Amino acid sequence: MTIEAPAPVRVHVRVRGIVQGVGFRPFVYGHATGLRLAGHVGNDGDGVFVEAEGPAHAVDLLVEALKERPPRLARVDSVTVTPLTPLHRQGFSIVDSVAAAVPTTPVTPDAATCNDCLREINDPLDRRYRYAFTNCTNCGPRFTITITVPYDRANTSMRAFGMCGDCAAEYHDPANRRFHAQPVCCPACGPRLALRHGTRHVDGDPLDETVALLDAGAIVAVKGLGGYHLACDATNTAAVARLRERKHREHKPFAVMLPSIKWAHRLIHVDPGVLAALTDRRRPIVVAAAQQGNGLAPAVTAGNLAVGVMLPYTPLHHLLMAGFGHPLVLTSGNAADEPIAHADDDAVARLSGIADAFLVSDRPIHSRADDSVVRVDRGRTVTIRRSRGYAPEPIAMPVVARRPVLGCGAELKSTFCLLRGGQAVLSHHIGDLENFETLQSYTEAIAHYQRLFAVTPEIVAYDLHPDYLSSKHALAIDGVTHIGVQHHHAHIASCLADNGQPGPVIGVAFDGTGYGADGMLWGGEILVADLCAADRVGHLEPLPLPGGAVAVRQPWRMAAAAVDAAVGEDEPEHLPVRARHTELWHPVRALARSELSASTTSAGRLFDAVAALADVRDIAGYEGQAAIELEQRYDDAVPGTYPVGVDDGEVVTIRSTDVIRGVVGDVATGAAAAAIATRFHRGLADAVATAVEEVSRRTGLRVVALSGGVFQNLTLVDLVSERLARRGLHVLMHREIPANDAGISVGQAVVAAAVDGREKKS
Ligand code: ZN
Ligand code: ZN
Ligand code: FE
């Protein structure tokens, strides 16, 4: 008896998503040849196409692999299968890219070292043993080395390095993990490390010598993936103190790199969320609650009860950490407020007063990218800074732009956003747009992204604040449609975008300050918003802002103003914050009452006032410090809340002065900071829920979006969400797009696209 082979089937498969430059073709080739299928695979402007012919079950297995187990760096959005007539051909091949192809995702983010590469650098018999620049199609530098498109070696900062025969063989072998890996290299042909003391070259193995210096308490500038870091022994009190002093950074906690995941358990409270974030292939800095007695020098966290830790993400970091053996401070290589140094000359010039030595290489960094930061607490994860490893991966938007849009962002934690079709490219972290260096880095990066993504914006969206450098930049662009987007509308829109929703929703936007539609300083807003428009339906009761920027830096001044507004002359006898600022207390109160003082609905300033009253912080060294430290005093075990009234006039108002009266009452009786912080969080959450419920009753809306920098406070997010859920309301929170001003540019872009789309229709 003879068994007849089943008739072959032939299909065309279209794969869309992030499928180019991520090793997709060798992956398909490997599977197809393993399954003995005939056909080919190639790239074109629409993604990857496959033709496969063979037994039906084998074809099914291939399609399943495409959907379920794509390469590590790929993101498969859709797989479409179309049947074709069998041709009875043999063999499988990779076809050349279609010449007309304009890839929609030409540049992918930098990716942390994969396990295969890690194995090689730890294998004494491998030719890449201890080689700091090892990479493959599944890992390594991408965005930071890309000079222009198409993404080919000649267009990257690897162009100066000719491949050796061994590397070239891997590069051309479709079955090899390094097939078409543009930065492929090895010790024979690739970049090299060098250690320098000033201009003097240090002999010996650069890694061993660096470890010896770090062991001796030195500060070493280390050229990383997206810029220079400053490194020192995180357990050496004197070394960390020296770094703080030289860097002129007194307050902001330093990030720490750990040799391995085992160390995380010693340093921080590890739960499944923390573990997932730490081992995420994008390797962000993970901010989590610190363990007591963790052995870190106290100056690492500078009084903060949380610590930011990360795992090694380049071969250089793996080798350095393996040699050093315990945690290393790894903070961005800059003096306070400047962008991270990434060009070699510039780094030496700017960091030579800080670093004792430089661990460098001859591979240029084309674009800077700071480390990304996520925060994990109470079972929730939020992105604080979306940069290295994330940017420039496109994010799907709930709106399809008719014309390309540039969102220029805000001022602090600046980013910009390019929106084309339904995809947004959110830039890496640029920094605070307050000095020339940062502004230059911002304008250069916008031009670079426009080139990489072949986008010429026809619409430019900007913040209404007339003094923001980003707004000025936007308005100076000629020949485009300008669309101004109110700051808190942009916040809520960014939250909608992050959740793939068009609205309308009830938006709660709490932040430091944003320019209001009426020219006032907003920051505690309840909006009814969709992508096109926002209506201010509620806010915090305004408090005086005595002295503008000074009051922002000195929370005790907000305390004086808030006390003045809340209790007038009925100040309690026991008020420690007043005792600490006796001389200026009454002048500041008088200023708060005068017409010279602006007023603000800012939730951030309310946190400031409470932090100073609770003896948590009088002077802030960085934005949000008082609020962060106040949140850290929150204690579930403390009973009680402050009763906070909500006025249900035409515009719903949360009575901030009620909050202050509650706090002052507790302070008068000598209550602990933890009690005040806890009752404050609960009282504010109660009031927000009551106000939102009232808006919901009036509008019939049942979905609530929480945005703005204050909602990086996961305790507040948790308390508000819990209360809203109890009322049957659905809550949208930020996930990948930061809730702080780094998300403003996306919000602006989607609003502008939606407004433009609506105008077309009408
Ligand atoms: Zn790899
Ligand atoms: Zn080589
Ligand atoms: Fe804001």
Side-chain angles (χ1 to χ4, degrees):
M1 192 175 108
T2 58
I3 298 169
E4 263 185 52
V9 297
R10 178 170 161 249
V11 294
H12 180 271
V13 188
R14 165 63 64 186
V15 190
R16 292 188 182 88
I18 297 171
V19 293
Q20 298 180 345
V22 293
F24 215 95
R25 288 176 301 160
F27 160 81
V28 173
Y29 177 89
H31 269 77
T33 50
L35 292 164
R36 297 175 187 280
L37 293 170
H40 59 255
V41 56
N43 269 339
D44 62 14
D46 202 19
V48 163
F49 57 89
V50 184
E51 264 192 43
E53 177 170 351
H57 72 273
V59 170
D60 288 347
L61 284 173
L62 177 69
V63 173
E64 188 192 300
L66 296 176
K67 288 182 183 165
E68 309 296 335
R69 295 180 300 280
R72 181 169 181 256
L73 300 182
R75 188 185 82 197
V76 173
D77 293 340
S78 72
V79 176
T80 319
V81 182
T82 319
L84 300 171
T85 313
L87 295 171
H88 304 284
R89 289 207 179 125
Q90 300 292 317
F92 199 90
S93 61
I94 294 180
V95 296
D96 283 339
S97 296
V98 176
V102 180
T104 46
T105 51
V107 183
T108 54
D110 304 280
T113 310
C114 74
N115 288 334
D116 292 324
C117 287
L118 192 55
R119 216 169 293 124
E120 289 170 348
I121 63 170
N122 287 321
D123 177 1
L125 299 178
D126 194 279
R127 68 194 183 91
R128 291 189 175 87
Y129 178 56
R130 279 174 65 82
Y131 183 54
F133 302 92
T134 304
N135 67 80
C136 72
T137 44
N138 297 323
C139 74
R142 296 287 188 280
F143 167 71
T144 52
I145 59 166
T146 302
I147 298 164
T148 186
V149 281
Y151 174 66
D152 279 328
R153 190 183 185 92
N155 290 331
T156 72
S157 63
M158 283 298 292
R159 63 183 172 193
F161 303 93
M163 272 181 231
C164 70
D166 288 340
C167 285
E170 292 171 328
Y171 181 89
H172 291 293
D173 175 4
N176 194 284
R177 174 171 121 251
R178 296 198 164 91
F179 178 66
H180 285 194
Q182 302 305 336
V184 65
C185 59
C186 74
C189 65
R192 278 160 210 235
L193 291 175
L195 182 64
R196 287 203 204 109
H197 259 306
T199 52
R200 191 168 57 82
H201 182 88
V202 179
D203 292 334
D205 179 81
L207 281 167
D208 291 344
E209 296 298 325
T210 301
V211 167
L213 280 172
L214 292 167
D215 268 331
I219 296 167
V220 182
V222 177
K223 186 176 180 180
L225 190 58
Y228 279 72
H229 279 119
L230 290 162
C232 74
D233 182 348
T235 64
N236 183 326
T237 304
V240 179
R242 203 154 44 234
L243 177 56
R244 280 217 175 269
E245 197 186 296
R246 292 189 194 166
K247 208 182 165 199
H248 302 295
R249 177 153 140 171
E250 285 170 55
H251 294 273
K252 259 191 191 170
F254 286 142
V256 171
M257 186 174 270
L258 309 175
S260 68
I261 193 81
K262 266 184 280 169
W263 280 88
H265 296 273
R266 286 202 218 172
L267 264 58
I268 55 172
H269 291 274
V270 176
D271 64 19
V274 169
L275 205 61
L278 269 175
T279 55
D280 186 295
R281 65 174 164 78
R282 299 170 290 194
R283 290 289 191 281
I285 293 169
V286 180
V287 178
Q291 293 275 15
Q292 294 282 314
N294 54 34
L296 293 179
V300 170
T301 48
N304 202 298
L305 301 182
V307 58
V309 300
M310 63 180 147
L311 291 174
Y313 55 84
T314 68
L316 171 61
H317 294 140
H318 280 287
L319 295 166
L320 195 59
M321 295 315 297
F324 190 63
H326 56 279
L328 210 54
V329 164
L330 214 57
T331 183
S332 47
N334 54 9
D337 299 333
E338 291 174 359
I340 188 170
H342 73 300
D344 297 323
D345 297 348
D346 181 51
V348 171
R350 279 163 57 196
L351 304 180
S352 54
I354 305 176
D356 300 304
F358 285 76
L359 178 60
V360 298
S361 77
D362 48 358
R363 184 180 77 198
I365 298 170
H366 188 74
S367 289
R368 51 167 68 88
D370 290 78
D371 291 319
S372 296
V373 183
V374 303
R375 187 179 165 212
V376 186
D377 195 27
R378 300 174 83 92
R380 302 180 190 274
T381 304
V382 282
T383 307
I384 307 283
R385 183 198 288 162
R386 186 184 181 277
S387 199
R388 189 257 313 146
Y390 295 76
E393 178 169 333
I395 309 171
M397 290 290 114
V399 61
V400 175
R402 194 165 65 90
R403 300 186 283 165
V405 187
L406 167 66
C408 287
E411 178 157 84
L412 299 177
K413 306 174 174 67
S414 190
T415 64
F416 60 85
C417 173
L418 287 173
L419 173 57
R420 182 180 52 195
Q423 300 278 318
V425 175
L426 175 56
S427 79
H428 59 286
H429 165 83
I430 308 279
D432 298 347
L433 277 186
E434 293 177 320
N435 58 51
F436 176 74
E437 288 75 15
T438 316
L439 180 65
Q440 194 179 26
S441 155
Y442 171 79
T443 53
E444 284 170 5
I446 291 175
H448 185 52
Y449 275 64
Q450 287 186 196
R451 242 185 346 260
L452 292 188
F453 292 90
V455 176
T456 308
E458 293 174 35
I459 300 172
V460 173
Y462 62 98
D463 195 280
L464 298 179
H465 200 307
D467 296 333
Y468 280 1
L469 292 178
S470 59
S471 305
K472 290 181 178 170
H473 177 80
L475 293 168
I477 301 172
D478 286 331
V480 295
T481 307
H482 290 101
I483 297 181
V485 181
Q486 198 277 324
H487 190 89
H488 302 96
H489 183 203
H491 270 309
I492 298 304
S494 75
C495 183
L496 286 172
D498 207 0
N499 288 278
Q501 308 246 346
V505 290
I506 302 168
V508 183
F510 279 12
D511 65 358
T513 313
Y515 196 82
D518 56 3
M520 302 291 280
L521 301 172
W522 292 8
E525 312 309 310
I526 302 179
L527 310 173
V528 167
D530 60 12
L531 294 178
C532 285
D535 195 13
R536 190 194 201 199
V537 295
H539 53 73
L540 294 185
E541 176 189 357
L543 289 174
L545 184 69
V550 186
V552 176
R553 283 193 301 270
Q554 303 191 357
W556 74 265
R557 289 174 188 257
M558 274 312 298
V563 165
D564 191 75
V567 300
E569 298 310 315
D570 295 334
E571 272 190 22
E573 265 172 50
H574 180 74
L575 196 59
V577 63
R578 182 186 58 214
R580 289 192 297 270
H581 304 276
T582 357
E583 264 176 48
L584 286 174
W585 185 263
H586 286 287
V588 169
R589 282 192 52 168
L591 174 63
R593 229 174 299 147
S594 79
E595 287 184 1
L596 290 172
S597 195
S599 67
T600 180
T601 51
S602 164
R605 297 295 82 77
L606 182 61
F607 270 82
D608 282 355
V610 176
L613 285 167
D615 303 335
V616 170
R617 180 148 293 277
D618 287 356
I619 310 281
Y622 57 90
E623 202 216 4
Q625 185 179 16
I628 288 167
E629 292 177 4
L630 187 66
E631 184 199 354
Q632 291 178 344
R633 305 303 171 103
Y634 181 92
D635 180 357
D636 273 320
V638 169
T641 181
Y642 296 133
V644 180
V646 174
D647 295 328
D648 56 356
E650 195 186 330
V651 172
V652 177
T653 311
I654 293 172
R655 277 198 235 132
S656 308
T657 45
D658 281 359
V659 176
I660 300 300
R661 272 188 289 275
V663 174
V664 169
D666 260 351
V667 172
T669 60
I676 296 169
T678 306
R679 290 172 192 148
F680 163 67
H681 275 81
R682 290 203 192 112
L684 185 60
D686 290 339
V688 168
T690 306
V692 167
E693 187 177 33
E694 174 61 20
V695 174
S696 171
R697 198 185 56 76
R698 292 179 187 180
T699 59
L701 294 172
R702 309 292 294 165
V703 183
V704 186
L706 306 179
S707 190
V710 168
F711 284 112
Q712 293 170 108
N713 178 331
L714 290 173
T715 306
L716 187 66
V717 167
D718 210 37
L719 295 173
V720 170
S721 304
E722 194 183 281
R723 283 157 177 74
L724 292 175
R726 236 186 279 143
R727 290 165 168 83
L729 299 172
H730 180 65
V731 179
L732 303 179
M733 280 166 291
H734 279 265
R735 299 181 299 189
E736 191 157 309
I737 297 172
N740 61 41
D741 281 7
I744 287 287
S745 62
V746 191
Q748 291 169 342
V750 286
V751 168
V755 167
D756 187 55
R758 184 191 55 190
E759 276 164 11
K760 174 69 193 279
K761 268 181 230 147
S762 60

